[in-house]
PDB file of all heavy atoms in Angstrom:
ATOM      1  N   ILE W 952     -16.986   5.770  19.653  1.00  0.00           N
ATOM      2  CA  ILE W 952     -17.119   6.655  18.497  1.00  0.00           C
ATOM      3  C   ILE W 952     -15.755   7.266  18.199  1.00  0.00           C
ATOM      4  O   ILE W 952     -15.142   7.861  19.085  1.00  0.00           O
ATOM      5  CB  ILE W 952     -18.151   7.769  18.795  1.00  0.00           C
ATOM      6  CG1 ILE W 952     -19.513   7.161  19.128  1.00  0.00           C
ATOM      7  CG2 ILE W 952     -18.243   8.741  17.622  1.00  0.00           C
ATOM      8  CD1 ILE W 952     -20.510   8.169  19.700  1.00  0.00           C
ATOM      9  N   THR W 953     -15.290   7.113  16.959  1.00  0.00           N
ATOM     10  CA  THR W 953     -13.981   7.655  16.590  1.00  0.00           C
ATOM     11  C   THR W 953     -14.122   8.776  15.572  1.00  0.00           C
ATOM     12  O   THR W 953     -15.076   8.821  14.793  1.00  0.00           O
ATOM     13  CB  THR W 953     -13.068   6.554  16.014  1.00  0.00           C
ATOM     14  OG1 THR W 953     -13.611   6.075  14.781  1.00  0.00           O
ATOM     15  CG2 THR W 953     -12.894   5.393  16.992  1.00  0.00           C
ATOM     16  N   LEU W 954     -13.119   9.667  15.558  1.00  0.00           N
ATOM     17  CA  LEU W 954     -13.122  10.769  14.596  1.00  0.00           C
ATOM     18  C   LEU W 954     -11.720  11.345  14.443  1.00  0.00           C
ATOM     19  O   LEU W 954     -10.866  11.172  15.305  1.00  0.00           O
ATOM     20  CB  LEU W 954     -14.091  11.866  15.051  1.00  0.00           C
ATOM     21  CG  LEU W 954     -13.802  12.478  16.417  1.00  0.00           C
ATOM     22  CD1 LEU W 954     -13.184  13.846  16.281  1.00  0.00           C
ATOM     23  CD2 LEU W 954     -15.078  12.547  17.229  1.00  0.00           C
ATOM     24  N   GLY W 955     -11.498  12.005  13.324  1.00  0.00           N
ATOM     25  CA  GLY W 955     -10.234  12.672  13.032  1.00  0.00           C
ATOM     26  C   GLY W 955     -10.263  13.204  11.612  1.00  0.00           C
ATOM     27  O   GLY W 955     -11.205  12.950  10.863  1.00  0.00           O
ATOM     28  N   ASN W 956      -9.241  13.940  11.235  1.00  0.00           N
ATOM     29  CA  ASN W 956      -9.121  14.530   9.897  1.00  0.00           C
ATOM     30  C   ASN W 956      -7.951  13.910   9.135  1.00  0.00           C
ATOM     31  O   ASN W 956      -6.959  13.512   9.742  1.00  0.00           O
ATOM     32  CB  ASN W 956      -8.855  16.038  10.011  1.00  0.00           C
ATOM     33  CG  ASN W 956     -10.002  16.781  10.647  1.00  0.00           C
ATOM     34  OD1 ASN W 956     -11.073  16.868  10.074  1.00  0.00           O
ATOM     35  ND2 ASN W 956      -9.781  17.309  11.837  1.00  0.00           N
ATOM     36  N   GLY W 957      -8.051  13.881   7.823  1.00  0.00           N
ATOM     37  CA  GLY W 957      -6.933  13.439   6.995  1.00  0.00           C
ATOM     38  C   GLY W 957      -6.476  12.036   7.337  1.00  0.00           C
ATOM     39  O   GLY W 957      -7.275  11.097   7.383  1.00  0.00           O
ATOM     40  N   GLY W 958      -5.182  11.871   7.600  1.00  0.00           N
ATOM     41  CA  GLY W 958      -4.650  10.571   7.998  1.00  0.00           C
ATOM     42  C   GLY W 958      -5.308  10.062   9.263  1.00  0.00           C
ATOM     43  O   GLY W 958      -5.544   8.860   9.424  1.00  0.00           O
ATOM     44  N   SER W 959      -5.633  10.965  10.169  1.00  0.00           N
ATOM     45  CA  SER W 959      -6.309  10.572  11.410  1.00  0.00           C
ATOM     46  C   SER W 959      -7.733  10.093  11.145  1.00  0.00           C
ATOM     47  O   SER W 959      -8.256   9.265  11.890  1.00  0.00           O
ATOM     48  CB  SER W 959      -6.315  11.735  12.407  1.00  0.00           C
ATOM     49  OG  SER W 959      -4.997  12.056  12.792  1.00  0.00           O
ATOM     50  N   ALA W 960      -8.371  10.601  10.094  1.00  0.00           N
ATOM     51  CA  ALA W 960      -9.689  10.089   9.706  1.00  0.00           C
ATOM     52  C   ALA W 960      -9.567   8.636   9.277  1.00  0.00           C
ATOM     53  O   ALA W 960     -10.408   7.794   9.638  1.00  0.00           O
ATOM     54  CB  ALA W 960     -10.286  10.936   8.579  1.00  0.00           C
ATOM     55  N   MET W 961      -8.516   8.340   8.535  1.00  0.00           N
ATOM     56  CA  MET W 961      -8.327   6.961   8.096  1.00  0.00           C
ATOM     57  C   MET W 961      -7.993   6.053   9.278  1.00  0.00           C
ATOM     58  O   MET W 961      -8.406   4.898   9.318  1.00  0.00           O
ATOM     59  CB  MET W 961      -7.232   6.896   7.024  1.00  0.00           C
ATOM     60  CG  MET W 961      -7.552   7.736   5.783  1.00  0.00           C
ATOM     61  SD  MET W 961      -9.253   7.545   5.158  1.00  0.00           S
ATOM     62  CE  MET W 961      -9.259   5.847   4.677  1.00  0.00           C
ATOM     63  N   THR W 962      -7.269   6.580  10.245  1.00  0.00           N
ATOM     64  CA  THR W 962      -6.989   5.812  11.461  1.00  0.00           C
ATOM     65  C   THR W 962      -8.272   5.565  12.228  1.00  0.00           C
ATOM     66  O   THR W 962      -8.518   4.451  12.722  1.00  0.00           O
ATOM     67  CB  THR W 962      -5.953   6.549  12.332  1.00  0.00           C
ATOM     68  OG1 THR W 962      -4.744   6.713  11.580  1.00  0.00           O
ATOM     69  CG2 THR W 962      -5.650   5.796  13.608  1.00  0.00           C
ATOM     70  N   ALA W 963      -9.126   6.580  12.346  1.00  0.00           N
ATOM     71  CA  ALA W 963     -10.415   6.428  13.029  1.00  0.00           C
ATOM     72  C   ALA W 963     -11.259   5.351  12.359  1.00  0.00           C
ATOM     73  O   ALA W 963     -11.897   4.532  13.033  1.00  0.00           O
ATOM     74  CB  ALA W 963     -11.155   7.771  13.041  1.00  0.00           C
ATOM     75  N   LEU W 964     -11.271   5.340  11.043  1.00  0.00           N
ATOM     76  CA  LEU W 964     -12.000   4.334  10.278  1.00  0.00           C
ATOM     77  C   LEU W 964     -11.380   2.953  10.469  1.00  0.00           C
ATOM     78  O   LEU W 964     -12.091   1.958  10.666  1.00  0.00           O
ATOM     79  CB  LEU W 964     -12.017   4.734   8.805  1.00  0.00           C
ATOM     80  CG  LEU W 964     -12.792   3.858   7.842  1.00  0.00           C
ATOM     81  CD1 LEU W 964     -14.261   3.801   8.226  1.00  0.00           C
ATOM     82  CD2 LEU W 964     -12.635   4.393   6.428  1.00  0.00           C
ATOM     83  N   HIS W 965     -10.060   2.885  10.434  1.00  0.00           N
ATOM     84  CA  HIS W 965      -9.334   1.622  10.620  1.00  0.00           C
ATOM     85  C   HIS W 965      -9.651   1.025  11.993  1.00  0.00           C
ATOM     86  O   HIS W 965      -9.888  -0.182  12.113  1.00  0.00           O
ATOM     87  CB  HIS W 965      -7.841   1.887  10.469  1.00  0.00           C
ATOM     88  CG  HIS W 965      -6.984   0.670  10.440  1.00  0.00           C
ATOM     89  ND1 HIS W 965      -5.700   0.701   9.957  1.00  0.00           N
ATOM     90  CD2 HIS W 965      -7.184  -0.606  10.840  1.00  0.00           C
ATOM     91  CE1 HIS W 965      -5.154  -0.498  10.070  1.00  0.00           C
ATOM     92  NE2 HIS W 965      -6.048  -1.309  10.603  1.00  0.00           N
ATOM     93  N   PHE W 966      -9.658   1.868  13.037  1.00  0.00           N
ATOM     94  CA  PHE W 966      -9.986   1.375  14.373  1.00  0.00           C
ATOM     95  C   PHE W 966     -11.321   0.645  14.362  1.00  0.00           C
ATOM     96  O   PHE W 966     -11.431  -0.486  14.842  1.00  0.00           O
ATOM     97  CB  PHE W 966     -10.101   2.536  15.369  1.00  0.00           C
ATOM     98  CG  PHE W 966      -8.810   3.141  15.848  1.00  0.00           C
ATOM     99  CD1 PHE W 966      -7.573   2.709  15.394  1.00  0.00           C
ATOM    100  CD2 PHE W 966      -8.848   4.173  16.760  1.00  0.00           C
ATOM    101  CE1 PHE W 966      -6.401   3.296  15.854  1.00  0.00           C
ATOM    102  CE2 PHE W 966      -7.687   4.762  17.241  1.00  0.00           C
ATOM    103  CZ  PHE W 966      -6.462   4.325  16.789  1.00  0.00           C
ATOM    104  N   ILE W 967     -12.341   1.289  13.836  1.00  0.00           N
ATOM    105  CA  ILE W 967     -13.686   0.716  13.891  1.00  0.00           C
ATOM    106  C   ILE W 967     -13.790  -0.534  13.025  1.00  0.00           C
ATOM    107  O   ILE W 967     -14.444  -1.511  13.410  1.00  0.00           O
ATOM    108  CB  ILE W 967     -14.744   1.775  13.522  1.00  0.00           C
ATOM    109  CG1 ILE W 967     -14.747   2.908  14.558  1.00  0.00           C
ATOM    110  CG2 ILE W 967     -16.132   1.151  13.402  1.00  0.00           C
ATOM    111  CD1 ILE W 967     -14.916   2.459  16.019  1.00  0.00           C
ATOM    112  N   THR W 968     -13.129  -0.528  11.888  1.00  0.00           N
ATOM    113  CA  THR W 968     -13.110  -1.725  11.041  1.00  0.00           C
ATOM    114  C   THR W 968     -12.530  -2.907  11.802  1.00  0.00           C
ATOM    115  O   THR W 968     -13.133  -3.979  11.878  1.00  0.00           O
ATOM    116  CB  THR W 968     -12.306  -1.464   9.759  1.00  0.00           C
ATOM    117  OG1 THR W 968     -12.892  -0.381   9.042  1.00  0.00           O
ATOM    118  CG2 THR W 968     -12.250  -2.705   8.875  1.00  0.00           C
ATOM    119  N   ASP W 969     -11.346  -2.716  12.377  1.00  0.00           N
ATOM    120  CA  ASP W 969     -10.688  -3.802  13.112  1.00  0.00           C
ATOM    121  C   ASP W 969     -11.470  -4.194  14.349  1.00  0.00           C
ATOM    122  O   ASP W 969     -11.694  -5.375  14.609  1.00  0.00           O
ATOM    123  CB  ASP W 969      -9.283  -3.374  13.547  1.00  0.00           C
ATOM    124  CG  ASP W 969      -8.242  -3.474  12.449  1.00  0.00           C
ATOM    125  OD1 ASP W 969      -8.575  -3.924  11.335  1.00  0.00           O
ATOM    126  OD2 ASP W 969      -7.087  -3.085  12.698  1.00  0.00           O
ATOM    127  N   TRP W 970     -11.861  -3.199  15.138  1.00  0.00           N
ATOM    128  CA  TRP W 970     -12.495  -3.507  16.423  1.00  0.00           C
ATOM    129  C   TRP W 970     -13.848  -4.171  16.242  1.00  0.00           C
ATOM    130  O   TRP W 970     -14.150  -5.159  16.912  1.00  0.00           O
ATOM    131  CB  TRP W 970     -12.627  -2.252  17.271  1.00  0.00           C
ATOM    132  CG  TRP W 970     -11.328  -1.586  17.622  1.00  0.00           C
ATOM    133  CD1 TRP W 970     -10.057  -2.081  17.449  1.00  0.00           C
ATOM    134  CD2 TRP W 970     -11.159  -0.291  18.197  1.00  0.00           C
ATOM    135  NE1 TRP W 970      -9.129  -1.171  17.881  1.00  0.00           N
ATOM    136  CE2 TRP W 970      -9.768  -0.058  18.343  1.00  0.00           C
ATOM    137  CE3 TRP W 970     -12.051   0.704  18.586  1.00  0.00           C
ATOM    138  CZ2 TRP W 970      -9.253   1.114  18.886  1.00  0.00           C
ATOM    139  CZ3 TRP W 970     -11.539   1.878  19.125  1.00  0.00           C
ATOM    140  CH2 TRP W 970     -10.158   2.071  19.281  1.00  0.00           C
ATOM    141  N   ASN W 971     -14.688  -3.658  15.360  1.00  0.00           N
ATOM    142  CA  ASN W 971     -16.020  -4.256  15.181  1.00  0.00           C
ATOM    143  C   ASN W 971     -15.917  -5.693  14.693  1.00  0.00           C
ATOM    144  O   ASN W 971     -16.583  -6.583  15.220  1.00  0.00           O
ATOM    145  CB  ASN W 971     -16.858  -3.439  14.206  1.00  0.00           C
ATOM    146  CG  ASN W 971     -17.487  -2.220  14.834  1.00  0.00           C
ATOM    147  OD1 ASN W 971     -17.360  -1.958  16.023  1.00  0.00           O
ATOM    148  ND2 ASN W 971     -18.175  -1.442  14.021  1.00  0.00           N
ATOM    149  N   LYS W 972     -15.112  -5.929  13.682  1.00  0.00           N
ATOM    150  CA  LYS W 972     -15.026  -7.265  13.087  1.00  0.00           C
ATOM    151  C   LYS W 972     -14.263  -8.236  13.980  1.00  0.00           C
ATOM    152  O   LYS W 972     -14.775  -9.288  14.353  1.00  0.00           O
ATOM    153  CB  LYS W 972     -14.355  -7.188  11.717  1.00  0.00           C
ATOM    154  CG  LYS W 972     -14.125  -8.551  11.076  1.00  0.00           C
ATOM    155  CD  LYS W 972     -13.406  -8.398   9.744  1.00  0.00           C
ATOM    156  CE  LYS W 972     -12.822  -9.688   9.275  1.00  0.00           C
ATOM    157  NZ  LYS W 972     -11.451  -9.909   9.745  1.00  0.00           N
ATOM    158  N   ALA W 973     -13.044  -7.895  14.331  1.00  0.00           N
ATOM    159  CA  ALA W 973     -12.169  -8.837  15.031  1.00  0.00           C
ATOM    160  C   ALA W 973     -12.667  -9.156  16.435  1.00  0.00           C
ATOM    161  O   ALA W 973     -12.623 -10.309  16.871  1.00  0.00           O
ATOM    162  CB  ALA W 973     -10.742  -8.295  15.080  1.00  0.00           C
ATOM    163  N   VAL W 974     -13.136  -8.151  17.150  1.00  0.00           N
ATOM    164  CA  VAL W 974     -13.578  -8.384  18.525  1.00  0.00           C
ATOM    165  C   VAL W 974     -14.801  -9.301  18.537  1.00  0.00           C
ATOM    166  O   VAL W 974     -14.877 -10.240  19.330  1.00  0.00           O
ATOM    167  CB  VAL W 974     -13.842  -7.048  19.253  1.00  0.00           C
ATOM    168  CG1 VAL W 974     -14.480  -7.278  20.619  1.00  0.00           C
ATOM    169  CG2 VAL W 974     -12.540  -6.260  19.407  1.00  0.00           C
ATOM    170  N   TYR W 975     -15.741  -9.045  17.638  1.00  0.00           N
ATOM    171  CA  TYR W 975     -16.924  -9.903  17.587  1.00  0.00           C
ATOM    172  C   TYR W 975     -16.556 -11.338  17.190  1.00  0.00           C
ATOM    173  O   TYR W 975     -17.021 -12.304  17.807  1.00  0.00           O
ATOM    174  CB  TYR W 975     -17.969  -9.341  16.627  1.00  0.00           C
ATOM    175  CG  TYR W 975     -19.179 -10.227  16.532  1.00  0.00           C
ATOM    176  CD1 TYR W 975     -20.091 -10.295  17.581  1.00  0.00           C
ATOM    177  CD2 TYR W 975     -19.401 -11.026  15.417  1.00  0.00           C
ATOM    178  CE1 TYR W 975     -21.188 -11.130  17.518  1.00  0.00           C
ATOM    179  CE2 TYR W 975     -20.493 -11.866  15.349  1.00  0.00           C
ATOM    180  CZ  TYR W 975     -21.382 -11.918  16.397  1.00  0.00           C
ATOM    181  OH  TYR W 975     -22.460 -12.757  16.340  1.00  0.00           O
ATOM    182  N   LEU W 976     -15.713 -11.485  16.169  1.00  0.00           N
ATOM    183  CA  LEU W 976     -15.335 -12.833  15.730  1.00  0.00           C
ATOM    184  C   LEU W 976     -14.580 -13.594  16.815  1.00  0.00           C
ATOM    185  O   LEU W 976     -14.742 -14.804  16.963  1.00  0.00           O
ATOM    186  CB  LEU W 976     -14.495 -12.766  14.452  1.00  0.00           C
ATOM    187  CG  LEU W 976     -15.247 -12.362  13.184  1.00  0.00           C
ATOM    188  CD1 LEU W 976     -14.288 -12.253  12.005  1.00  0.00           C
ATOM    189  CD2 LEU W 976     -16.377 -13.348  12.870  1.00  0.00           C
ATOM    190  N   ALA W 977     -13.759 -12.884  17.588  1.00  0.00           N
ATOM    191  CA  ALA W 977     -12.953 -13.547  18.615  1.00  0.00           C
ATOM    192  C   ALA W 977     -13.743 -13.865  19.877  1.00  0.00           C
ATOM    193  O   ALA W 977     -13.447 -14.844  20.563  1.00  0.00           O
ATOM    194  CB  ALA W 977     -11.748 -12.678  18.978  1.00  0.00           C
ATOM    195  N   THR W 978     -14.749 -13.033  20.185  1.00  0.00           N
ATOM    196  CA  THR W 978     -15.412 -13.179  21.484  1.00  0.00           C
ATOM    197  C   THR W 978     -16.901 -13.480  21.403  1.00  0.00           C
ATOM    198  O   THR W 978     -17.488 -13.908  22.389  1.00  0.00           O
ATOM    199  CB  THR W 978     -15.252 -11.880  22.306  1.00  0.00           C
ATOM    200  OG1 THR W 978     -16.023 -10.839  21.689  1.00  0.00           O
ATOM    201  CG2 THR W 978     -13.794 -11.475  22.438  1.00  0.00           C
ATOM    202  N   GLY W 979     -17.517 -13.188  20.261  1.00  0.00           N
ATOM    203  CA  GLY W 979     -18.965 -13.325  20.133  1.00  0.00           C
ATOM    204  C   GLY W 979     -19.736 -12.162  20.733  1.00  0.00           C
ATOM    205  O   GLY W 979     -20.959 -12.133  20.670  1.00  0.00           O
ATOM    206  N   LYS W 980     -19.021 -11.196  21.309  1.00  0.00           N
ATOM    207  CA  LYS W 980     -19.662 -10.015  21.904  1.00  0.00           C
ATOM    208  C   LYS W 980     -19.407  -8.825  20.985  1.00  0.00           C
ATOM    209  O   LYS W 980     -18.263  -8.443  20.760  1.00  0.00           O
ATOM    210  CB  LYS W 980     -19.094  -9.745  23.293  1.00  0.00           C
ATOM    211  CG  LYS W 980     -19.704  -8.507  23.975  1.00  0.00           C
ATOM    212  CD  LYS W 980     -19.198  -8.359  25.393  1.00  0.00           C
ATOM    213  CE  LYS W 980     -19.697  -7.100  26.067  1.00  0.00           C
ATOM    214  NZ  LYS W 980     -21.135  -6.949  26.130  1.00  0.00           N
TER     215      LYS W 980
END
């Protein structure tokens, strides 16, 4: 679970976007 304010909010969102999509596509998990 990620969280932050302002620019850090966008970083928190970016983390989950990258991690959810890329990790699943690369590993199937």
Side-chain angles (χ1 to χ4, degrees):
I952 301 169
T953 65
L954 59 104
N956 296 293
S959 296
M961 300 314 296
T962 300
L964 183 60
H965 188 162
F966 284 2
I967 296 306
T968 301
D969 280 357
W970 299 349
N971 280 358
K972 175 182 164 270
V974 172
Y975 179 73
L976 289 177
T978 69
K980 179 175 176 57

